Amino acid sequence: MKLVTAVIKPHKWEDVREALETFGVTGMTVSEVSGYGRQKGHTEVYRGAEYDIALVPKIRVEIVVDDGDADDVVGIVVKTAQTGRIGDGKVWVSPVDAVVRVRTGDRDASAL
Amino acid sequence: MDGYYAFMLVATAFVLMMTVPALALFYGGMSRSKSVLNMIMMSFIAAAIVGILYVAVGWSMGWSGNGTFFADPFALVMLNGVETSDYIYVMFQMTFAIITVALISGAIADRVKFSAWVLFIPFWAVLVYFPMAHMVFSCTDDSLICGRIGAQDYAGGTAVHINAGVAALVLAVVIGKRVGWPKDKMRPHNLTLTMLGAGMLWLGWYGFNVGSIVFSEESLADEGLLMEQFYSETGRTFANTTLATMAAILGWLVVERLMHGKATSLGAASGIVAGLVAITPAAGAVDIEGALAIGAIAGALCAVAVGWKFKLGLDDSLDVVGVHLVGGIAGTVLIGFFSTSDGAGGVDGLFYGGGTDSLVAQVLGVLVAVAYSGVITAVLALAIKFTLGWRMNEDDEVGGADLAQHGESAYDLHTGVGGGVKSSVIAGATSAAPNEGART
């Protein structure tokens, strides 16, 4: 199994969720996060004083999927979250050793 | 004059609203989230202390008779000797004292012990504000700024704004910078509060300026003249207050757009206050064109001035100097140019063919206010610095004034921790502790 983690623009979250649901992903964990990439943050001005805001708000989506689905899920996220402008985010895939459903104790694929 | 009495009741309530809650919100939004309650409390406590002191000795020091700097402080203690029907005039003046003191707190946000502020308030009110109010507002022949110098100040350019602005400057210097400033410039935590506060200040300011009508000797002797002065002067001050504020919003935003590329909401809120500050001394003295000019100049000037603190290394946290001192001086001095003889002061300024007499009087009035407020505030600020001490310790300041000074926090945004979790759930988590102990 793989953990797909995507950090995307907040306004793209609904599109990504719909596309993944259509594909058949059954669950995910979503959190509001902040961070920055190559472009750094942005500048705000208060009474003429400029503030460099390093952290930009993003949505982090975490999905555990079967090995065979990982590439498809990454593809869907990239396709739906892409605007072509700077700050679109990142997706990465990591190995998962075990998954357990808390309610039943089911393990791995049947726990997804 | 039933209508006038009703009008004064409303005007007085409006001016009190300017401090609680308008100024408190205006300042609170600009402070950091960890010290917003402390910022608001500095206004609330000013209302409580100054209000009581005002009926104790303030009214007497200001209005019980002659005196260059102040009148007899003990003549009308606790308003003994004042008719209850005159209480409304006492209350009206009291609200001015309250907001003047509260204005100062913006310069010392986030870092001052609440006890030090509580100690500062009564001494400053008695030694600085009450005398200044006498010098400017009670206007006996002896009173320094109005009587002897002959400077015009309709509703408090010198007594309120220059006075508070100078005190703010002195306190910011004596107390010093916040931990981390200016590297961390400390941006406002909630500009919606600030916008709301600015809007409420604008509303309350009608009580401030329009309520400041003083009837002439001739008017008091003749009912017809009295009504005529009431109608014409309130119409003028209302219009001037409104139009100067509108011009100041534009003045601030134009400067901001040119210098920094964007017209901001904080700029609009600040423009409102800058315009109101500047038109306050001039509200009765100028015509519509004068009001528009004063507003636009003050808005632009204050927008430039608020940047000076970074150049000077002065942590005037919420720009009391940039807005109230600069705006107050602008409005007071510009009377010397734009005053018209059909206004409340009956004097033509330089641009209306009146020569330089008015301008000289206005500048002298400013200098006296700056010197008086500056010197006495400095003595008082240093006395507190070397006795009780002004500053919270560094840990408390970094942790936030709300928790350190009041044992509270303004916002609870984390429902998982300390927010939406029921106490029984937390109790359950605690009772699980023995199991963890058993495992070891």
Side-chain angles (χ1 to χ4, degrees):
Chain A
M1 284 169 303
K2 302 286 187 196
L3 169 66
V4 179
T5 306
V7 174
I8 59 174
K9 284 184 170 170
H11 74 275
K12 281 290 171 187
W13 143 244
E14 270 301 325
D15 294 345
V16 171
R17 187 190 62 78
E18 270 177 29
L20 288 173
E21 213 158 82
T22 309
F23 175 75
V25 167
T26 49
M28 61 189 75
T29 306
V30 179
S31 31
E32 291 179 31
V33 295
S34 47
Y36 63 89
R38 284 188 195 181
Q39 90 282 7
K40 301 294 181 200
H42 61 265
T43 305
E44 295 177 7
V45 183
Y46 298 91
R47 278 185 173 163
E50 290 189 1
Y51 294 71
D52 293 325
I53 309 299
L55 300 176
V56 182
K58 297 282 174 200
I59 294 288
R60 179 175 60 201
V61 188
E62 292 164 298
I63 316 145
V64 181
V65 294
D66 271 336
D67 289 346
D69 291 337
D71 280 348
D72 290 339
V73 166
V74 170
I76 288 167
V77 171
V78 170
K79 189 165 162 245
T80 48
Q82 199 170 68
T83 67
R85 286 187 295 276
I86 215 154
D88 271 354
K90 294 273 187 297
V91 187
W92 59 91
V93 181
S94 8
V96 173
D97 291 340
V99 176
V100 183
R101 176 177 283 125
V102 174
R103 175 167 56 86
T104 58
D106 292 348
R107 295 184 71 89
D108 300 337
S110 61
L112 290 180
Chain B
M1 287 310 283
D2 292 348
Y4 174 60
Y5 192 79
F7 160 79
M8 285 309 293
L9 293 174
V10 174
T12 304
F14 269 31
V15 185
L16 188 59
M17 183 193 73
M18 288 171 68
T19 304
V20 177
L23 184 75
L25 292 177
F26 180 70
Y27 278 174
M30 275 190 283
S31 67
R32 289 176 291 173
S33 56
K34 62 186 178 182
S35 53
V36 51
L37 294 177
N38 178 251
M39 195 68 248
I40 288 173
M41 276 293 280
M42 286 207 273
S43 285
F44 278 47
I45 198 73
I49 296 173
V50 176
I52 293 170
L53 266 178
Y54 198 81
V55 298
V57 294
W59 177 257
S60 194
M61 285 178 75
W63 301 83
S64 68
N66 286 320
T68 303
F69 293 99
F70 54 87
D72 182 354
F74 306 110
L76 302 169
V77 169
M78 289 298 164
L79 308 187
N80 282 321
V82 179
E83 296 285 335
T84 46
S85 57
D86 286 341
Y87 277 13
I88 192 61
Y89 307 117
V90 180
M91 293 291 110
F92 183 67
Q93 290 297 329
M94 178 188 85
T95 59
F96 279 57
I98 288 170
I99 194 165
T100 307
V101 173
L103 283 173
I104 302 169
S105 64
I108 58 174
D110 299 353
R111 58 196 186 281
V112 161
K113 286 192 283 195
F114 194 60
S115 56
W117 176 241
V118 167
L119 183 64
F120 173 80
I121 291 171
F123 284 102
W124 195 83
V126 170
L127 298 175
V128 184
Y129 182 79
F130 298 159
M132 194 77 83
H134 174 78
M135 286 188 256
V136 174
F137 292 142
S138 92
C139 206
T140 57
D141 291 342
D142 284 345
S143 70
L144 188 56
I145 293 175
C146 179
R148 296 196 181 192
I149 294 173
Q152 295 190 62
D153 181 357
Y154 195 82
T158 44
V160 176
H161 298 289
I162 295 176
N163 195 3
V166 170
L169 175 62
V170 170
L171 289 195
V173 170
V174 170
I175 293 168
K177 309 161 188 178
R178 287 170 288 181
V179 174
W181 194 91
K183 187 165 179 288
D184 178 4
K185 292 173 200 164
M186 302 166 189
R187 69 190 159 122
H189 91 283
N190 188 340
L191 286 182
T192 47
L193 289 186
T194 296
M195 301 295 279
L196 177 66
M200 292 176 74
L201 279 170
W202 189 348
L203 173 64
W205 224 289
Y206 289 113
F208 207 77
N209 285 0
V210 184
S212 288
I213 186 169
V214 176
F215 292 105
S216 65
E217 294 290 330
E218 302 88 64
S219 294
L220 289 170
D222 180 331
E223 181 80 9
L225 281 176
L226 196 70
M227 296 310 289
E228 191 183 316
Q229 188 191 343
F230 182 56
Y231 289 142
S232 69
E233 203 166 311
T234 50
R236 172 177 292 237
T237 50
F238 202 112
N240 284 348
T241 302
T242 308
L243 290 154
T245 307
M246 293 164 171
I249 296 174
L250 297 180
W252 192 298
L253 292 181
V254 166
V255 167
E256 222 175 30
R257 181 73 171 77
L258 292 174
M259 288 175 70
H260 309 291
K262 293 221 166 51
T264 69
S265 62
L266 182 58
S270 310
I272 286 175
V273 178
L276 289 165
V277 166
I279 199 60
T280 291
V286 298
D287 56 17
I288 296 283
E289 288 86 350
L292 287 170
I294 288 174
I297 292 168
L301 200 58
C302 292
V304 174
V306 293
W308 295 346
K309 67 176 180 181
F310 292 109
K311 292 175 192 149
L312 297 172
L314 174 82
D315 187 10
D316 166 18
S317 322
L318 311 182
D319 300 311
V320 187
V321 177
V323 176
H324 293 274
L325 181 58
V326 173
I329 290 176
T332 302
V333 171
L334 286 171
I335 291 172
F337 294 95
F338 291 103
S339 182
T340 75
S341 55
D342 65 340
V347 184
D348 273 324
L350 195 59
F351 292 166
Y352 290 71
T356 55
D357 287 358
S358 170
L359 182 59
V360 170
Q362 293 307 118
V363 171
L364 269 179
V366 169
L367 292 177
V368 168
V370 168
Y372 185 86
S373 182
V375 170
I376 299 191
T377 306
V379 172
L380 183 53
L382 289 169
I384 292 177
K385 180 175 183 172
F386 293 115
T387 52
L388 178 64
W390 278 101
R391 301 288 296 248
M392 285 181 246
N393 68 48
E394 199 171 310
D395 284 349
D396 285 350
E397 187 182 325
V398 171
D402 287 357
L403 192 60
Q405 300 296 308
H406 308 289
E408 297 174 294
S409 50
Y411 306 103
D412 184 358
L413 303 174
H414 304 284
T415 50
V417 185
V421 181
K422 289 181 185 167
S423 57
S424 59
V425 174
I426 294 168
T430 321
S431 67
N435 292 336
E436 293 201 11
R439 205 187 303 147
T440 55

